[in-house]
Amino acid sequence: MTEIVLGVGASHSTLMNTHWEKTLHKDRAERFRDALRTARDELAAARPDTVILVGSNHFRGFWLDLIPSFTIGVGECVASGESGTPKGPQPVDVPLARHIANSLVEGGRFDVAFSARLQIDHGQSHAIQYLLDGLDVEIVPLVVNVFAPPLPTLERCEQLGHAIRETVLAFPEGRRVAVVGSGGLSHRLPWPDWREPHGDDEEFMVGGWLNGRENWQDYDARRREIIRAAEAALNPGFDDEFLTLVERGQTHRITEYTTEALEKTAGNGAQELRTWLLTAALLDHAPARRLAYEPMPEWLTGMGVAVLDPASSTPHTAPAAERQP
């Protein structure tokens, strides 16, 4: 019997690794880091065999020559190792990954992309570093396009979460499965719409996204300078409202936002909330416990952590009409 035993949603920021000593709000940073440790301990206590790791990619594993909406790693998985995050091969639960991909396609639910040699970046390896530290688990990496429009709609992401849940629970070999969604909360990156870059910096960024498949490291120094020069644009009020929805088992209500409205309200980085939504749907929208929320302007991001425990209470599944935007 395969069961889904726990879910975690957590923000990520490589500035935790590269600029910790320059962080001004150390008390906030330490509370967030402590919450990651608590979530890691709860994952360990849940004893998963496999973690479905839902994350984004920041143009270090995918480039504009090919951007699928959803990609499942079904073979090798290599972390790029930028900014002090883990580097090198990661253990993949290949049988479960291929079962998910096959079931989604053959069942006519989703024509997901798959990769037999997937490169991930801190959009997932940050979670490996802090949430899976020391855990003897394999992963099923799921990459969601959140930065190269057109993006998959929020509603489509929720539908995929429910579809993957069905395939996982039907896996005949038996697994204890946890789910981690990495990304968000509110933040704005100095990244252009790749279709309309304006100015030298934006043209440089788009050039790296298009041409960096073989030499993405060559673009990193200037790219980091552009990011570090950006002003923080957080929306703590939105973040609190979103985390309240997660706590109540109502994460599906974020689908009321269009892609454009979400960016206007919470920044282009908030498009990563698709990873939380997918995670919540995989947990059948079980209510969560908020472990931390800290607005971190030094990291350009509202940093949150929540744990979804399906054993803690009866999951909330909204009627189909309620889930309509």
Side-chain angles (χ1 to χ4, degrees):
M1 176 181 177
T2 295
E3 55 184 327
I4 300 174
V5 297
L6 200 72
V8 175
S11 305
H12 59 242
S13 173
T14 58
L15 297 173
M16 283 183 63
N17 295 345
T18 61
H19 288 75
W20 183 269
E21 296 306 319
K22 297 180 181 178
T23 298
L24 299 178
H25 297 91
K26 277 290 200 314
D27 54 340
R28 301 180 189 178
E30 289 170 354
R31 285 194 295 266
F32 174 75
R33 187 173 59 182
D34 290 346
L36 289 180
R37 290 172 178 157
T38 299
R40 180 264 172 212
D41 291 345
E42 295 201 23
L43 280 167
R47 299 181 293 105
D49 304 302
T50 303
V51 173
I52 298 176
L53 185 50
V54 189
S56 56
N57 193 278
H58 305 74
F59 299 102
R60 293 188 181 93
F62 289 82
W63 290 267
L64 289 176
D65 57 1
L66 182 62
I67 299 282
S69 293
F70 307 106
T71 305
I72 298 176
V74 298
E76 299 175 22
C77 178
V78 179
S80 58
E82 82 283 2
S83 304
T85 53
K87 182 177 183 178
Q90 305 299 317
V92 174
D93 186 340
V94 172
L96 179 57
R98 294 185 180 179
H99 166 80
I100 293 171
N102 292 342
S103 298
L104 290 173
V105 174
E106 293 175 3
R109 300 288 299 275
F110 276 85
D111 297 321
V112 292
F114 68 89
S115 174
R117 184 172 293 155
L118 179 67
Q119 180 167 309
I120 61 174
D121 68 7
H122 73 268
Q124 287 165 303
S125 60
H126 190 276
I128 292 171
Q129 180 176 12
Y130 290 100
L131 294 173
L132 305 187
D133 181 34
L135 273 61
D136 183 17
V137 296
E138 294 181 317
I139 64 171
V140 174
L142 171 60
V143 181
V144 183
N145 171 32
V146 303
F147 290 125
L151 308 183
T153 65
L154 289 156
E155 185 175 17
R156 191 64 170 156
C157 291
E158 191 203 11
Q159 292 168 354
L160 178 59
H162 285 299
I164 293 177
R165 174 181 173 83
E166 292 178 10
T167 70
V168 169
L169 295 178
F171 184 58
E173 296 184 22
R175 292 286 192 278
R176 292 178 62 83
V177 177
V179 188
V180 170
S182 180
L185 303 172
S186 69
H187 63 294
R188 182 172 298 280
L189 298 171
W191 288 9
D193 183 325
W194 66 270
R195 299 165 295 188
E196 295 183 277
H198 299 287
D200 291 344
D201 284 349
E202 291 193 359
E203 290 177 1
F204 170 83
M205 296 288 264
V206 173
W209 300 344
L210 181 61
N211 302 311
R213 181 173 293 278
E214 302 302 328
N215 63 332
W216 61 265
Q217 297 94 333
D218 295 345
Y219 294 89
D220 250 23
R222 182 174 172 187
R223 168 177 160 148
R224 296 289 289 182
E225 290 176 0
I226 293 170
I227 292 173
R228 289 299 297 159
E231 294 185 6
L234 310 184
N235 187 337
F238 169 86
D239 291 342
D240 180 67
E241 291 175 4
F242 175 75
L243 289 171
T244 298
L245 292 178
V246 178
E247 290 175 302
R248 293 175 177 172
Q250 298 177 344
T251 316
H252 62 275
R253 290 185 55 188
I254 196 70
T255 61
E256 295 169 8
Y257 282 88
T258 64
T259 295
E260 293 75 15
L262 182 59
E263 177 170 346
K264 183 177 180 181
T265 302
N268 56 359
Q271 306 295 358
E272 290 181 323
L273 292 178
R274 286 164 170 77
T275 67
W276 289 63
L277 178 59
L278 261 159
T279 297
L282 265 156
L283 270 292
D284 201 22
H285 292 292
R289 287 183 298 107
R290 186 189 312 200
L291 300 184
Y293 172 70
E294 303 295 339
M296 292 297 299
E298 305 96 312
W299 299 350
L300 304 179
T301 305
M303 307 295 290
V305 186
V307 172
L308 297 81
D309 186 350
S312 63
S313 59
T314 302
H316 168 85
T317 302
E322 185 181 342
R323 289 202 297 266
Q324 296 300 314

